[in-house]
Amino acid sequence: MNINGKELLHGIIQGGMGVGVSLSELAGNVAKMGCMGVISSVNIGYTEEDFLTNPVEANLRALAKHIKRAKEIAGANGLVAVNIMVAVSHYDETVKCAVEAGADAIISGAGLPLNLAELVKDSDTLYAPIVSSGKAAMLLCKNYARKYQSIPDFIVIEGHKAGGHLGFKANDLEKGTCQENLNILEDVKKAIKPYEEEFNREIKVFLAGGIFTGSDIAEAIEHGADGVQIGTRFIATNECDASEVFKNVIVEAKEEDIKIIKSPVGMPARAVFTPMLQGLEEGKTLYAERCNNCLTACPKGDKVPYCISRALIAAVTGNKEEGLFFCGENAARVDKIVSVKELVEELVNECNAALPEGITF
Ligand SMILES: Cc1cc2nc3c(=O)[nH]c(=O)nc-3n(C[C@H](O)[C@H](O)[C@H](O)COP(=O)(O)O)c2cc1C
């Protein structure tokens, strides 16, 4: 498929996963397979020596390094994108750094990326907001069209089964009353149509959240998606940048272990119930005293029961006791660790077998 001038062999985006779960190794190897690999920018500099004393520079330096490395791994194949959450401090600088380092696309959610069009203008970096409703898609397209005479190159729809922070009300997630993926897809397609017509260009749409098999991909395509974004399945790959401990937490998770939690940034999130969450339930606090203001929406100091960034870093570095392990609803279905090549080939083959027209990827 051609996304506004950039070629993508398979309509599969590997979702950006922070902190440190999707870096250059995973993103580069996914791109090498003809898909879109996504580096997560949030606290990407956590392995840099000066991360604690100089977090902004450490993050920007590490981001540029990972983009370069991912592109080396990818070779001439696929696309290397960066996921930058609107909720991170220094959002504008991070987008500009990724653009300068040659990212093929910027994908932004966890808030409305209202100025993203402006930040990537005059570059050949594509831009894509993440939305969880037709209303958000409409609002963003209207904003980009009127303010910047632009429309997004693609949109990622993130449904309620996704991992990490979720754009739904906790109450709806608990009760199972969230709008379903295919309905949101229909709403988004309707919402963007007038803008596609006005600008005489298609906005590609990728569906995310609970996509597990090639048949799920085929279903999304049959309902009008151009492709999908997948997160959780890519954690259980050899090339994923997370620790073996993290990968095994996903492989071993059972349905009853997967919980909706309250993130300090004010959004609900999905994670595996591990000792850290048990501790929180018992009233313990974790790392809350060492804040480096990495997220704009996070209340500071003793107002938070735990520092989410440090808990996510603990998980990615293999600390099962103190780590917070984000996952999608379907994590319980992941039962082994495979290579990125095996996973992509499995998904593409299943998808092609399920689509009446045969190979559309
Ligand atoms: C461990 C983990 C970390 C994630 N981190 C981010 C992130 O930093 N930014 C973001 O926009 N989405 C994040 N997500 C969401 C994924 O990019 C993806 O859209 C979602 O997980 C798709 O659902 P699936 O896991 O069921 O495939 C994360 C998901 C997981 C499982």
Side-chain angles (χ1 to χ4, degrees), residues 15-18 40 83 130 158 161-163 209-210 229-232 326-327:
M17 292 179 281
S40 164
N83 177 293
I130 302 175
E158 206 174 65
K161 293 183 181 172
Q229 173 169 294
I230 299 177
T232 303
F326 275 168
C327 72

Side-chain angles (χ1 to χ4, degrees), residues 302-325:
D302 55 11
K303 291 193 190 68
V304 284
Y306 66 103
C307 167
I308 190 160
S309 293
R310 286 177 211 279
L312 291 171
I313 292 170
V316 86
T317 52
N319 180 345
K320 187 157 179 194
E321 285 301 303
E322 297 184 336
L324 174 61
F325 298 83

Side-chain angles (χ1 to χ4, degrees), residues 40-253:
S40 164
S41 81
V42 60
N43 280 317
I44 190 169
Y46 80 93
T47 52
E48 299 285 301
E49 259 177 30
D50 56 348
F51 176 64
L52 290 177
T53 52
N54 196 8
V56 181
E57 267 184 41
N59 281 334
L60 297 178
R61 192 188 316 124
L63 178 58
K65 273 199 267 188
H66 278 286
I67 294 169
K68 185 167 177 269
R69 174 78 191 122
K71 295 197 117 198
E72 279 165 9
I73 297 171
N77 299 339
L79 299 175
V80 172
V82 180
N83 177 293
I84 307 176
M85 295 197 301
V86 180
V88 294
S89 306
H90 307 279
Y91 175 78
D92 292 10
E93 282 157 273
T94 310
V95 175
K96 285 184 185 159
C97 168
V99 169
E100 268 167 39
D104 288 305
I106 308 293
I107 304 175
S108 270
L112 295 173
L114 292 167
N115 65 342
L116 185 54
E118 169 75 3
L119 296 171
V120 301
K121 83 165 193 262
D122 304 328
S123 77
D124 72 347
T125 303
L126 308 175
Y127 76 98
I130 302 175
V131 302
S132 296
S133 67
K135 198 172 152 197
M138 203 259 291
L139 198 145
L140 284 165
C141 284
K142 189 172 171 189
N143 161 76
Y144 298 136
R146 300 295 163 259
K147 250 181 149 168
Y148 308 110
Q149 295 72 53
S150 165
I151 52 171
D153 300 294
F154 61 102
I155 287 182
V156 175
I157 298 174
E158 206 174 65
H160 65 91
K161 293 183 181 172
H165 289 108
L166 302 164
F168 296 86
K169 292 196 180 114
N171 203 17
D172 286 329
L173 288 160
E174 300 284 3
K175 284 198 199 144
T177 49
C178 296
Q179 193 182 10
E180 290 302 331
N181 280 5
L182 296 178
N183 292 121
I184 307 175
L185 174 62
E186 202 184 321
D187 286 358
V188 169
K189 296 276 292 180
K190 265 192 217 143
I192 64 177
K193 196 154 186 263
Y195 299 95
E196 292 180 298
E197 283 168 4
E198 183 182 334
F199 285 79
N200 196 21
R201 173 161 68 75
E202 247 190 320
I203 302 172
K204 303 283 186 198
V205 177
F206 293 81
L207 191 61
I211 305 288
F212 200 84
T213 63
S215 309
D216 296 337
I217 303 176
E219 184 183 46
I221 290 172
E222 281 174 323
H223 284 80
D226 296 286
V228 296
Q229 173 169 294
I230 299 177
T232 303
R233 286 210 73 182
F234 280 104
I235 303 175
T237 58
N238 300 323
E239 294 88 343
C240 172
D241 296 272
S243 59
E244 291 308 303
V245 168
F246 199 129
K247 297 176 191 181
N248 287 327
V249 164
I250 298 295
V251 170
E252 286 158 19

